[in-house]
Amino acid sequence: MEFVLIRLDEVDSTNNYAMARIQHGGLPEGTVIQALQQHAGRGQRNKGWISEPRANLLVSIILKPAVISHQPPFLLSMAVAAGLREAVARICQQDFYIKWTNDLYWNDRKAGGILIENTWKGQYWQYAVVGIGLNVNQKQFPPELPNPVSLTQITGKEYELQDVLQEVYDQIMKRYRDLQGGKTQELVQEYHQWLYRKDREAWYESDGQRFRGIIREVQPDGHLIMDTAEGRKSWAFGQLEFVLDQPATPLS
Amino acid sequence: MDFKQIQELIKLVSKSNICEISIEEENFKITIKQKDHPSEGAPLVQPAYPMVPTMAAVPPSPLPMPATPAPQPAAQPAAPASAKEENYITIKSPMIGTFYRSPSPDKPPFVNVGDEIKPGQVVCIIEAMKLFNEIESEVSGRIVKVLVEDASPVEFDQPLFLVEPV
């Protein structure tokens, strides 16, 4: 798929840039903002994203999701996560997984993240800015990051960022179009097929308490459904931590 | 766009006061007109707009919008309702989530009491499942009251701001 690309040597964050640009209008849907370096890349609120210059894919895709305003916005998060996962799985010929809500995982390590910002006027979903950070050619990470990994660390190969971008773009836009076309079920199914730790018993933490649980499902509104010793629980994002120093075990 | 979506769209248009809506996607174009609308047959001059599921056909452009919602009385008539207060407009949350008054913790709030706002201006962020939603005002006016504490949970349709029209 072809797209309009705005490439920047350096920017605070591609999402900030995109959010500022859409105020002025004029950019077609699907426009990509790419930065070779970000000095204030953003993860979730308060959390930064650290990248070696020119090593990683740092992009934001501008969407106009008006047609799906009546759908749960979280479905877009599912579509983007599933698209990014499929793209890197093809590039690396490896299994990647989606860690709830939308992190990209290889084994128990994080290879990429997604940050989506929307603008709403009343009930009308004007824009979605889909920010993606994918560790591609970075060879070393700061020690304070708990579990980073890059594509080059996984396969030993170096990748052309523009080739990676094309594959990522194609896979995400395909699922976005599917969502617009009403193919929600296939998308939800794909998300669950690759959901990290689904149906495996593992350790989690909430409010300082550690406990074992089995992820069963993510609802279309984003809630995580988990079986625990105290029964079935539903979590919103931010309420639950994945304990990463203890591996998950398959159910016997 | 599939058949079900077209059906939904027709339903929405017939329930609304839109006389005509036109949507154009790659290899696809649809125009829906209301039968008994006086402007039927008038030439369509606007470019194709994306579908709008609620009431108004709003182009995704920074053009100033007419204020669509009818003025409503304040949600909590705690104080004796004066004639003036009844004219206040509430800005409501379009979703369940966490209400934030500033773009990030180290930045000043988008709006404060006494500020004048205009349509399209961002008034807050609602965060829901790691989706960050900037909420734009649909109305012009002055912020009279902020009804929700920063970083606290909000429900769908919960009033967030009280606005005095100017």
Side-chain angles (χ1 to χ4, degrees):
Chain A
M1 277 180 244
E2 290 187 2
F3 55 89
V4 174
L5 175 64
I6 299 173
R7 211 167 159 202
L8 308 164
D9 279 338
E10 190 179 346
V11 71
D12 57 345
S13 109
T14 55
N15 262 40
N16 287 356
Y17 182 90
M19 290 295 280
R21 276 297 297 265
I22 59 178
Q23 299 300 323
H24 307 291
L27 293 178
E29 174 162 64
T31 295
V32 175
I33 315 294
Q34 180 180 18
L36 297 175
Q37 191 172 358
Q38 281 188 149
H39 55 259
R42 294 167 54 196
Q44 50 207 81
R45 205 174 164 91
N46 305 336
K47 290 191 187 170
W49 175 269
I50 298 139
S51 175
E52 235 170 50
R54 296 173 183 270
N56 299 324
L57 188 69
L58 308 165
V59 293
S60 295
I61 306 174
I62 296 172
L63 304 176
K64 301 178 184 178
V67 174
I68 52 169
S69 293
H70 60 296
Q71 301 245 34
F74 189 77
L75 291 176
L76 178 64
S77 191
M78 284 188 170
V80 173
L84 176 64
R85 193 221 68 86
E86 176 66 22
V88 292
R90 285 176 182 225
I91 291 164
C92 297
Q93 296 294 305
Q94 294 264 338
D95 281 348
F96 283 80
Y97 290 86
I98 300 159
K99 175 173 167 276
W100 177 73
T101 55
N102 56 16
D103 283 339
L104 178 71
Y105 263 54
W106 177 82
N107 290 330
D108 292 313
R109 295 163 75 185
K110 179 169 168 171
I114 294 163
L115 179 79
I116 301 177
E117 291 181 88
N118 304 310
T119 66
W120 292 80
K121 193 180 289 262
Q123 308 293 322
Y124 172 77
W125 192 354
Q126 297 187 101
Y127 286 101
V129 170
V130 175
I132 295 159
L134 175 64
N135 299 330
V136 180
N137 293 321
Q138 186 155 344
K139 292 191 177 65
Q140 285 192 322
F141 291 93
E144 64 269 21
L145 291 182
N147 59 340
V149 71
S150 65
L151 305 193
T152 198
Q153 287 177 327
I154 296 167
T155 65
K157 293 178 190 163
E158 289 256 334
Y159 296 92
E160 281 293 331
L161 287 183
Q162 298 321 107
D163 296 346
V164 175
L165 172 57
Q166 187 67 56
E167 187 71 48
V168 166
Y169 185 85
D170 289 350
Q171 296 299 334
I172 288 174
M173 291 306 278
K174 177 177 179 296
R175 283 158 185 80
Y176 173 60
R177 298 297 176 205
D178 284 350
L179 192 56
Q180 289 182 316
K183 293 184 196 163
T184 309
Q185 277 212 305
E186 292 93 321
L187 189 65
V188 171
Q189 193 187 350
E190 184 186 9
Y191 181 90
H192 283 90
Q193 185 187 345
W194 299 106
L195 184 60
Y196 175 70
R197 286 187 175 177
K198 183 175 181 288
D199 296 329
R200 297 198 300 162
E201 191 164 21
W203 286 93
Y204 298 91
E205 199 171 306
S206 181
D207 278 337
Q209 299 285 324
R210 275 199 180 195
F211 56 91
R212 295 175 73 80
I214 303 166
I215 289 175
R216 293 302 187 190
E217 190 194 341
V218 175
Q219 294 180 320
D221 69 358
H223 279 90
L224 183 80
I225 306 297
M226 176 185 280
D227 284 333
T228 70
E230 293 165 11
R232 186 155 279 208
K233 289 197 173 183
S234 167
W235 303 98
F237 179 73
Q239 295 178 331
L240 183 76
E241 292 288 326
F242 287 58
V243 176
L244 293 165
D245 55 19
Q246 305 212 36
T249 50
L251 278 184
S252 50
Chain B
M1 184 169 289
D2 63 18
F3 181 69
K4 194 159 160 267
Q5 283 183 305
I6 293 170
Q7 268 185 317
E8 268 177 39
L9 186 58
I10 291 169
K11 239 185 273 171
L12 284 162
V13 171
S14 65
K15 267 193 259 170
S16 76
N17 56 1
I18 300 166
C19 61
E20 176 168 332
I21 186 165
S22 183
I23 293 166
E24 199 165 349
E25 291 174 358
E26 220 177 319
N27 309 322
F28 178 83
K29 189 177 174 182
I30 183 170
T31 301
I32 299 169
K33 293 180 190 178
Q34 297 250 49
K35 195 167 53 193
D36 51 355
H37 204 280
S39 72
E40 190 197 357
L44 179 66
V45 287
Q46 311 99 304
Y49 292 148
M51 167 185 161
V52 183
T54 47
M55 290 292 285
V58 186
S61 74
L63 293 172
M65 286 319 140
T68 40
Q72 341 183 341
Q76 290 118 340
S82 68
K84 203 179 170 194
E85 203 164 303
E86 275 169 25
N87 287 330
Y88 289 167
I89 301 166
T90 53
I91 299 176
K92 295 176 175 177
S93 178
M95 65 194 72
I96 298 171
T98 306
F99 171 83
Y100 290 108
R101 289 188 58 192
S102 62
S104 60
D106 54 334
K107 299 264 167 63
F110 291 107
V111 291
N112 287 303
V113 170
D115 287 357
E116 277 203 20
I117 56 165
K118 46 188 196 303
Q121 186 174 339
V122 177
V123 291
C124 65
I125 285 176
I126 309 282
E127 188 259 303
M129 296 291 176
K130 211 179 148 189
L131 290 158
F132 292 83
N133 301 285
E134 284 194 352
I135 311 303
E136 295 184 2
S137 174
E138 294 178 286
V139 299
S140 289
R142 185 180 289 110
I143 301 279
V144 177
K145 199 171 180 188
V146 183
L147 301 166
V148 181
E149 287 267 316
D150 187 41
S152 58
V154 290
E155 296 295 324
F156 176 77
D157 238 17
Q158 181 173 341
L160 306 172
F161 297 94
L162 216 52
V163 179
E164 179 185 20
V166 286

